[in-house]
Amino acid sequence: KTSQKTTLRIAVLGLVALLASCGGKGDKESGGDPKIRLLNLSTGYTSLDLITNLDEDDDDQDVNQSQAVALESASEYQALKSDTYTIKLKRTGSGSILRAFTGEQLVEGTINTYVAFGEVGAFGALRIDDTLGPADSGATRLSIANVSSAGALDVYLTDTDTGLDD
């Protein structure tokens, strides 16, 4: 039961972070260099690094973009040059790569958040496109990704006066 509460809390935090990342201004202006960041929701790995490697670069040099991203937090956006990359996620202080996204074409104007989730032995990651523009006036844009190990997740959008007892 405690595990399910923790998983639900992390899923909700992920939702809040995703909501905060969509449709704003500032770091997410259209055009310009591609940007990436890491959102760590992995209860199994409380500190993660985000690394890039140019796919066409023969010297195979990894570049740390964000280091020691703590559980339940997101790194700052990092601007890169337009190119094709391998994006790697690893535990801080370890040489082992937990997940690699190969062939990531990062072009002008793209903005991505790489979301790490799961426990030790069940690590997962996904890419969220933050390039979406703001919602139309009077509307809200909502993105939901269920990264919990608890299974299906119901999402209710209600007004503030609605009671959700269960």
Side-chain angles (χ1 to χ4, degrees):
K1 187 141 183 156
T2 301
S3 173
Q4 286 180 339
K5 284 183 181 180
T6 299
T7 301
L8 182 58
R9 187 179 93 221
I10 288 172
V12 169
L13 285 170
L15 174 62
V16 170
L18 290 174
L19 285 171
S21 73
C22 293
K25 294 194 187 281
D27 282 338
K28 298 184 291 295
E29 296 171 3
S30 61
D33 290 332
K35 296 177 179 72
I36 61 171
R37 71 175 176 173
L38 173 62
L39 171 60
N40 183 1
L41 299 178
S42 175
T43 56
Y45 301 95
T46 58
S47 183
L48 294 172
D49 297 342
L50 175 68
I51 299 165
T52 58
N53 187 303
L54 282 171
D55 283 358
E56 294 183 21
D57 193 351
D58 292 335
D59 69 6
D60 204 36
Q61 289 290 327
D62 286 343
V63 177
N64 283 317
Q65 297 297 337
S66 298
Q67 294 180 291
V69 179
L71 176 64
E72 299 180 1
S73 66
S75 68
E76 295 293 321
Y77 283 102
Q78 301 300 316
L80 302 170
K81 293 181 180 176
S82 293
D83 215 322
T84 302
Y85 293 86
T86 295
I87 309 294
K88 301 175 184 179
L89 305 178
K90 75 173 190 73
R91 183 172 48 105
T92 302
S94 171
S96 300
I97 301 300
L98 295 168
R99 172 73 159 87
F101 295 83
T102 59
E104 292 287 286
Q105 293 183 349
L106 302 180
V107 297
E108 185 176 303
T110 59
I111 304 163
N112 293 313
T113 297
Y114 292 86
V115 181
F117 59 91
E119 301 171 3
V120 173
F123 182 82
L126 58 93
R127 178 178 40 85
I128 302 289
D129 181 355
D130 290 342
T131 312
L132 296 173
D136 293 337
S137 179
T140 300
R141 187 178 304 268
L142 175 68
S143 297
I144 300 171
N146 182 4
V147 297
S148 80
S149 59
L153 176 68
D154 293 331
V155 176
Y156 299 92
L157 302 177
T158 66
D159 61 50
T160 56
D161 296 332
T162 302
L164 299 175
D165 295 334
D166 185 16

